[in-house]
Amino acid sequence: MRPQELNLLVIFDTIMTEKSITRAAERLSMTQPAVSNAVARMRTNWKDDLFVKDGRNIQPTSYAINLWDQVRTPLQNLNEAIEPGAFDPKTAKRTFRVAVADIAVDTSWLEMRQLFEKEAPGINLHAVPYTIVNTEKVLEDADVDLVMSAKTPINGRILSSHMFDSKHFCVMRKDHSLAKPNLSIEEFAAADHLLVSLSGDSTGPTDQALQLLGMSRRVAMTVNHFASAASIIMDSNLIAMLPSGAIHKHVASGKLLITTPPIEIPPVPVSMLWHKRQDNDAGLKWLRYHLKRISVDRWTSDANEMCKLICK
């Protein structure tokens, strides 16, 4: 292979990863016209359009998708062989894309930004909406570098690292009719419930636990993010099972009652997931270390705070 063709493959790989000529130029420290000229050479040499416009974005052709499937792993391996561990956060210019639920952004993103400002000023951190149904696909397609998920990977190409177990607490407004000691399981099941469902399903771990006892509850409302859950609970007759990260900011308001539910709900294990091809990526290793450290510290602190309130 001629050096010119290898250079084109590197540019091609970056465009496919970024899904944008502009972002690819930024990542490669090239001008946009230079990347566009490289694409023109690719089209001539490889006899395919490669990319077609789709509004403000671009979509790869079938030829481009098939080519990328063949070259992205060898290119990654080649880069790691030439520059093993070559990552200096102080000088690196890179964008990490992480698929996360809004609760992870609320609990970890500020501290991550403060870390970047201090130790990695050239690194960007972009949150991508997390959806349970395509957890592995976004990693396979290189849409993101990392996923924070409660889903266990079943694909051998997807690696994971356990972060923490998310314990849920029963939450209702302070003057709710059920705001009393020793809430019975019958009263709990008969209440109108709010469910945070990232998948769109109207059932969750609480329903599974009740089902084992031959009981059920009414899920009167669902939301697809955690940010609005506490405010809805504070001004309605709904109750909810929520993780500490979704309620810690609202505890000081005095409007919430937090209690242990009258039924055992297993904690939800939360992990980081990434693709095997990026396992030796020094930059991603750095990100994983700090994201796990900050997330675990914050989640543990919030959960301990909730437990202290329940014990009072």
Side-chain angles (χ1 to χ4, degrees):
M1 179 183 291
R2 292 175 297 178
Q4 296 90 338
E5 289 180 312
L6 181 58
N7 289 338
L8 289 180
L9 281 175
V10 171
I11 296 172
F12 168 76
D13 176 60
T14 306
I15 295 173
M16 289 294 289
T17 300
E18 297 292 340
K19 294 181 173 54
S20 164
I21 289 177
T22 300
R23 290 195 297 271
E26 292 174 354
R27 180 167 175 175
L28 293 166
S29 298
M30 296 173 63
T31 64
Q32 185 169 334
V35 175
S36 297
N37 289 336
V39 171
R41 294 197 300 275
M42 294 177 206
R43 287 169 170 162
T44 299
N45 293 351
W46 303 338
K47 298 179 175 57
D48 189 85
D49 287 338
L50 298 174
F51 308 104
V52 294
K53 287 187 177 181
D54 181 14
R56 295 184 178 181
N57 301 314
I58 57 173
Q59 294 294 334
T61 63
S62 296
Y63 178 91
I65 294 172
N66 292 332
L67 176 61
W68 197 41
D69 283 341
Q70 299 177 59
V71 304
R72 57 181 173 176
T73 297
L75 285 173
Q76 182 74 26
N77 294 338
L78 181 60
N79 183 65
E80 291 171 359
I82 295 173
E83 299 184 20
F87 177 79
D88 182 356
K90 292 183 179 179
T91 58
K93 294 187 180 299
R94 184 169 176 179
T95 296
F96 290 114
R97 294 186 298 275
V98 183
V100 288
D102 63 304
I103 189 172
V105 174
D106 288 345
T107 56
S108 304
W109 247 233
L110 174 57
E111 288 184 64
M112 289 296 293
R113 179 56 196 170
Q114 291 170 339
L115 170 71
F116 285 11
E117 290 178 356
K118 182 179 179 181
E119 299 184 14
I123 294 180
N124 306 318
L125 182 62
H126 292 179
V128 176
Y130 166 71
T131 55
I132 294 174
V133 293
N134 66 351
T135 297
E136 296 185 7
K137 187 176 187 301
V138 293
L139 290 169
E140 288 280 10
D141 294 346
D143 290 333
V144 299
D145 300 292
L146 197 65
V147 174
M148 287 182 64
S149 173
K151 183 178 179 180
T152 303
I154 57 175
N155 182 338
R157 295 184 298 274
I158 306 301
L159 306 179
S160 65
S161 174
H162 176 261
M163 300 179 73
F164 53 82
D165 292 327
S166 175
K167 182 178 180 180
H168 284 55
F169 300 87
C170 183
V171 182
M172 64 190 75
R173 74 170 196 271
K174 201 79 171 183
D175 58 349
H176 196 286
S177 60
L178 298 181
K180 58 183 181 180
N182 303 319
L183 175 66
S184 72
I185 190 170
E186 290 79 13
E187 291 171 320
F188 175 81
D192 292 342
H193 289 249
L194 171 73
L195 173 67
V196 179
S197 173
L198 301 180
S199 65
D201 293 336
S202 58
T203 60
T206 301
D207 301 281
Q208 296 165 12
L210 286 170
Q211 189 174 23
L212 292 175
L213 299 175
M215 304 178 71
S216 63
R217 63 172 179 166
R218 177 192 175 193
V219 176
M221 177 176 284
T222 68
V223 293
N224 59 0
H225 55 274
F226 288 91
S228 61
S231 59
I232 292 175
I233 292 296
M234 287 190 291
D235 292 303
S236 74
N237 288 323
L238 294 169
I239 71 172
M241 292 294 296
L242 296 174
S244 57
I247 52 181
H248 77 279
K249 292 190 301 185
H250 304 276
V251 171
S253 69
K255 293 183 178 181
L256 287 178
L257 175 77
I258 303 164
T259 185
T260 302
I263 183 173
E264 184 175 352
I265 310 296
V268 179
V270 177
S271 301
M272 289 187 295
L273 281 62
W274 64 95
H275 199 280
K276 186 177 181 180
R277 65 173 172 267
Q278 290 183 289
D279 192 36
N280 294 320
D281 184 320
L284 193 56
K285 285 183 177 179
W286 179 88
L287 178 70
R288 294 201 304 263
Y289 169 78
H290 287 291
L291 186 55
K292 182 173 183 176
R293 174 182 60 82
I294 288 173
S295 298
V296 170
D297 287 349
R298 180 60 183 272
W299 208 269
T300 301
S301 175
D302 289 344
N304 290 339
E305 182 181 347
M306 297 304 104
C307 289
K308 289 178 182 179
L309 288 173
I310 291 174
C311 292
K312 286 183 177 180

